[in-house]
Amino acid sequence: MSESTTAELPVVVIGAGPAGLAAAAHLIDRGLEPLVLEAGPAAGAAVREWSHVRLFSPWGEVTDPAAEKLLAPTGWVKPDAATYPSGGDWAEQYLQPLADVLGDKIRVGATVTGVSRTGRDRIVDADREAQPFVLHVEYADGREERIFARTVLDASGTWTTPSPAGGSGLPALGERAAADRITYRVPDLKDPAVRIRYAGKRSAVIGSGASAFTALAYLADLAKSDDGAGTHGVWVLRRGINGSTFGGGEADQLPARGALGLAAKAAVDQGYADAVTGFRTEAIERDGDGRLVLVAEDGRRLDPVDEVIVLTGFRPDLTFLSEIRLGLDERLQAPVDLAPLIDPNRHSCGTVYPHGHRELSHPEQGIYLVGMKSYGRAPTFLAMTGYEQVRSVVAAIAGDIEAADRVELTLPETGVCGGAGLFNTPDTSETSGGGCAPAPALVQIGTAAATEPAEASSGGCCGS
């Protein structure tokens, strides 16, 4: 295939979530042809799975400018920038309308099973970069197809690959066998079928991020309700409790994110949950009644629980990229040049330096991991970060290097980042930010380092 023919191929975007759809909007704005492949049955499929959870970022920070430009002729009206959407709101009021505008540029039920260079496996150097990318796609009806692309943006996220309960990063012994009593998502306790599963029961919550805060707050609310008497949480932390355990609290520049940590603290202080610290799960056993017993690496055993909610973060699925030459950090599984900027040992959301196409590049030219997936296992991702990433990457694809290198972004400071949450919508008139997105500016890298890596929060998605 000639170079001129390759240039006529589409830019394939994997994933029709917030970052993927924004990438398509930017490509159209640049006169480039996108093709978005979404494994789920609809755009924003992952977001829809946590539709009951509210974001801790307001509307002003979770829509993309190029997407808004594309939506404007349809009569779409942006929701109040100072209010906070749930996952369901985000999907229905923004992601789906954007997908409707993109029309046949999106294919749903299309799972990418492999990406490579045409006629070149991972080993072959000869004439490699002149070959277009080839993607193997399997559709929901079982049909398979090869799709050729000039460039590939992988915005597939990390939702499908949650991290396990095991403290070593591997599933705890017995974890798979106990799957009937384990969930890796924040449960929707407004759903009657789910509610009855947890009402009056003892549930362990493993994790220390925003999603763990959310689950603890949900369980506490259930315990206070008429049908939830006896509901109790056991908060299992791999670390001890210190001043940063509950996030930024009232000092958080995202008030709703700070409120999450305060709600979790209240659940413990009011007796609706017990905190177990320094507990690294090694095994999950069943007692004679079928309940689960968590066993730590140091031999400690917790009293039996009815349910386990594992919220220890997510990790990228790299299996379908095995024939691509990626340059990934050995710890975070994020691009090598990006990893030092997002290392949770050193940074919260607000101290992550703005980044773009250069930090997101790989030895294999023409492929980019963007959105939540670009952060690998780091929990510090925010939606506005993904939007800036795709703006820069698309500018680079279009040959506008000056615009691609002009990366400016201000991110909210303090607290545990990378999740979605539960909170009462704050009175924005009493917050310094007023709920509006800050003006663009460069953010300096912070110097404070944690004594131990923060557990990745298992938040709903990049919309946090």
Side-chain angles (χ1 to χ4, degrees), residues 352-367:
V352 174
Y353 193 84
H355 57 275
H357 72 110
R358 295 191 184 280
E359 293 83 0
L360 296 169
S361 63
H362 292 276
E364 190 87 69
Q365 294 184 19
I367 189 161

Side-chain angles (χ1 to χ4, degrees), residues 68-429:
E68 291 182 26
K69 180 179 177 182
L70 201 60
L71 283 164
T74 70
W76 179 80
V77 177
K78 182 176 180 177
D80 183 346
T83 61
Y84 294 77
S86 65
D89 296 334
W90 202 21
E92 293 303 325
Q93 298 178 41
Y94 171 65
L95 300 178
Q96 188 58 53
L98 181 54
D100 291 341
V101 172
L102 291 168
D104 61 6
K105 298 183 188 306
I106 300 177
R107 297 184 191 176
V108 299
T111 301
V112 175
T113 59
V115 183
S116 187
R117 289 280 189 179
T118 303
R120 307 289 189 275
D121 64 19
R122 185 185 184 120
I123 299 174
V124 178
D125 289 334
D127 204 28
R128 183 179 187 86
E129 292 185 3
Q131 306 306 312
F133 290 96
V134 59
L135 296 90
H136 283 206
V137 182
E138 183 175 322
Y139 293 95
D141 61 7
R143 179 172 52 92
E144 292 184 287
E145 183 183 14
R146 285 195 311 166
I147 294 176
F148 299 97
R150 57 179 289 184
T151 309
V152 176
L153 276 61
D154 182 358
S156 59
T158 57
W159 178 252
T160 60
T161 47
S163 294
S168 300
L170 303 172
L173 299 179
E175 183 171 344
R176 293 189 179 95
D180 60 313
R181 289 179 179 259
I182 299 177
T183 184
Y184 298 86
R185 311 286 191 260
V186 176
D188 181 2
L189 298 184
K190 292 182 180 179
D191 181 327
V194 177
R195 190 176 183 87
I196 198 169
R197 176 174 172 175
Y198 296 92
K201 305 291 179 61
R202 178 179 167 88
S203 299
V205 178
I206 304 177
S208 64
S211 290
F213 296 164
T214 303
L216 290 165
Y218 276 179
L219 290 172
D221 286 344
L222 178 58
K224 299 172 189 176
S225 67
D226 293 339
D227 64 338
T231 303
H232 194 77
V234 181
W235 189 15
V236 181
L237 296 116
R238 295 172 181 169
R239 299 172 295 162
I241 292 180
N242 56 39
S244 64
T245 297
F246 299 99
E250 294 179 357
D252 200 313
Q253 290 182 17
L254 284 178
R257 186 177 63 201
L260 267 179
L262 297 177
K265 186 175 188 301
V268 175
D269 291 345
Q270 295 169 11
Y272 295 111
D274 300 318
V276 180
T277 60
F279 193 99
R280 296 180 178 276
T281 306
E282 181 179 73
I284 300 177
E285 301 175 356
R286 287 189 190 266
D287 69 3
D289 296 326
R291 301 173 82 201
L292 302 183
V293 177
L294 302 186
V295 184
E297 292 175 351
D298 60 10
R300 281 185 293 162
R301 302 171 67 89
L302 299 186
D303 290 338
V305 296
D306 300 285
E307 301 287 343
V308 177
I309 303 170
V310 181
L311 301 169
T312 53
F314 291 85
R315 53 187 61 177
D317 177 7
L318 302 169
T319 56
F320 62 89
L321 299 174
S322 62
E323 294 305 312
I324 293 296
R325 299 174 178 180
L326 299 178
L328 298 175
D329 178 72
E330 66 275 10
R331 290 179 304 152
L332 297 182
Q333 294 179 297
V336 169
D337 290 341
L338 175 60
L341 308 183
I342 62 174
D343 186 346
N345 290 290
R346 301 176 59 192
H347 306 299
S348 74
C349 291
T351 59
V352 174
Y353 193 84
H355 57 275
H357 72 110
R358 295 191 184 280
E359 293 83 0
L360 296 169
S361 63
H362 292 276
E364 190 87 69
Q365 294 184 19
I367 189 161
Y368 301 89
L369 309 188
V370 297
M372 179 75 83
K373 190 167 185 175
S374 71
Y375 270 42
R377 300 192 184 197
T380 46
F381 188 80
L382 292 172
M384 64 178 85
T385 304
Y387 296 152
E388 181 62 9
Q389 285 181 344
V390 298
R391 184 205 63 77
S392 173
V393 166
V394 171
I397 295 169
D400 188 349
I401 302 302
E402 180 182 356
D405 286 341
R406 191 175 61 249
V407 183
E408 297 181 346
L409 184 65
T410 293
L411 296 172
E413 177 60 277
T414 78
V416 178
C417 300
L422 163 78
F423 56 90
N424 293 320
T425 302
D427 179 354
T428 55
S429 65

